Amino acid sequence: MFGITTSPANGATLGKGASVAASPPPDLKTLARTGDVDAIALHIQAHPADRKAIEHEMVKASRTGDLSRVAQTLKYELPHWTTSPYGDGPTFTLRAQSDPTNAVGSSPAWPGLVQAGTVTPSEQRVIGRMAANEGKLDSVQAYDSETVSVGAMQKTVNASGTGELAKQVYDFSQVDPAKYKALFTDTGWSVAHTGKGTTADDYTMTFSPDGTPKTPAETRAYIKDRSAPDHWNAALVPLLQAGRDPAFQAQQIGDFKRRLDTAIAVVPTGTAYKAVKGGTPYTRPISDYLTSEQGAALVLDQSVNRPSRVASSFGKALDTFYAANPKAPADPAQWTADQRVEYEPKIMSAYQAQREASKMTAPIERYDRIVGQGSTLSAAPGSFVGTR
């Protein structure tokens, strides 16, 4: 991500081993020659200035294979301190978007969901393609204004302990109590229904290291302690591992499916039918105007990135379309098959212009990944098939 830089866990350790000695201290030499991969990686995480000396000793000890595994562990299995325009805190290195590892589209949870009728193959294609614009299923970061953000949609727990992640984990606890215990409560994380409703504000998620309960504020401070990488490991590694478990991946995919249903059911707002019959308000959902897989993916994409702008953006797109095509039937249910072939690409083009105007993140790049060259999504009207 642009604007993000990383730095050692504890600035106080920068001087230690700053110049690699010809013979490192005996304890470092022993660690490098006989320590296991995890122990070596944890030491380097806490004392990054020792890395060159340790690596040198590992090569001398013919541990080149273990050296590669240490590098992999440090890169993808342990968090590092990050400075960004959004704040500072620990995060894991993001894998490239082209890397299928733990991507939504390559989750092993899909076959079971499709077989059970929870999602259709068309929905799988739409969600899998659109999700490439977001994070991986195991994405975890704690460097912005929130306490922690997790998963492909980067659902969050905020400073008050509430948020969409808290609700997602609570819902998971109701669906699969045994997995919830193994992935969350047994690793220190717990969630409770603390409100009277069922919104994201009604669930609270906190961390209890060593069985000692912490308040939301204490959980936040624990995770964002720059001098304590052991805190980051204790709190964040379990969330990383949860994101790699097929059961919790199925929960994330289910939430994507529900977001897709909600997004295409939105009724557009705006100065409806501005050029047609004096401005009759729109009453049909977006799914009646765009019926292709590409169209559904674009709407889901904005809903994930700028949910509050979907209705107005699509309404303005329809205003543009009807102004340029005043003879088009106001009710999309009256469009003929030939008219749909003509109209839907025009609406998609107008909608993309409004997506850009909505100031969503990287709208052009996101658009290109969904509908550009190599897209697996159909542009044909009627190609999107959802569950009924």
Side-chain angles (χ1 to χ4, degrees), residues 147-186:
T147 295
V148 66
S149 301
V150 174
M153 279 198 280
Q154 286 290 277
K155 290 181 178 290
T156 64
V157 169
N158 58 34
S160 299
T162 62
E164 287 193 336
L165 176 61
K167 185 180 188 313
Q168 183 179 66
V169 173
Y170 180 84
D171 290 343
F172 180 64
S173 75
Q174 304 304 295
V175 171
D176 196 335
K179 273 290 185 179
Y180 164 71
K181 180 178 183 299
L183 296 176
F184 293 97
T185 57
D186 287 353

Side-chain angles (χ1 to χ4, degrees), residues 77-345:
E77 312 298 324
L78 293 177
H80 52 263
W81 192 261
T82 298
T83 299
S84 81
Y86 317 103
D88 302 343
T91 190
F92 294 87
T93 299
L94 294 174
R95 293 181 183 271
Q97 287 179 319
S98 59
D99 186 340
T101 306
N102 296 308
V104 174
S106 59
S107 170
W110 280 113
L113 293 171
V114 172
Q115 185 176 8
T118 303
V119 296
T120 66
S122 183
E123 290 171 328
Q124 179 181 359
R125 288 190 292 271
V126 167
I127 293 170
R129 186 74 181 186
M130 176 269 140
N133 283 333
E134 294 297 314
K136 304 287 187 177
L137 289 160
D138 63 343
S139 295
V140 179
Q141 62 90 355
Y143 60 72
D144 60 16
S145 60
E146 306 303 286
T147 295
V148 66
S149 301
V150 174
M153 279 198 280
Q154 286 290 277
K155 290 181 178 290
T156 64
V157 169
N158 58 34
S160 299
T162 62
E164 287 193 336
L165 176 61
K167 185 180 188 313
Q168 183 179 66
V169 173
Y170 180 84
D171 290 343
F172 180 64
S173 75
Q174 304 304 295
V175 171
D176 196 335
K179 273 290 185 179
Y180 164 71
K181 180 178 183 299
L183 296 176
F184 293 97
T185 57
D186 287 353
T187 63
W189 284 101
S190 61
V191 65
H193 187 192
T194 52
K196 296 181 179 180
T198 57
T199 69
D201 293 333
D202 293 302
Y203 303 90
T204 303
M205 187 169 171
T206 55
F207 185 62
S208 302
D210 303 320
T212 305
K214 289 189 175 294
T215 65
E218 290 170 340
T219 296
R220 179 183 177 83
Y222 181 89
I223 292 173
K224 292 181 180 287
D225 185 348
R226 181 171 184 174
S227 67
D230 56 318
H231 290 188
W232 319 339
N233 299 337
L236 302 184
V237 170
L239 300 179
L240 178 83
Q241 296 301 327
R244 295 175 178 176
D245 188 277
F248 191 60
Q249 289 184 355
Q251 182 70 38
Q252 291 193 54
I253 291 170
D255 283 350
F256 256 115
K257 150 67 175 163
R258 284 181 281 277
R259 179 64 67 90
L260 172 59
D261 290 344
T262 299
I264 62 177
V266 167
V267 175
T269 60
T271 54
Y273 301 158
K274 186 175 182 181
V276 181
K277 299 180 181 178
T280 306
Y282 299 121
T283 58
R284 297 283 188 173
I286 291 175
S287 58
D288 282 2
Y289 296 97
L290 290 183
T291 62
S292 69
E293 290 181 342
Q294 289 188 3
L298 288 175
V299 177
L300 173 61
D301 187 51
Q302 188 184 26
S303 177
V304 170
N305 193 258
R306 287 291 185 276
S308 65
R309 303 291 182 86
V310 173
S312 60
S313 292
F314 204 87
K316 291 174 182 177
L318 290 180
D319 291 345
T320 299
F321 166 75
Y322 278 112
N325 301 271
K327 294 184 179 181
D331 183 354
Q334 298 177 10
W335 295 352
T336 66
D338 288 342
Q339 285 176 322
R340 280 205 172 273
V341 171
E342 176 188 355
Y343 294 162
E344 289 202 22

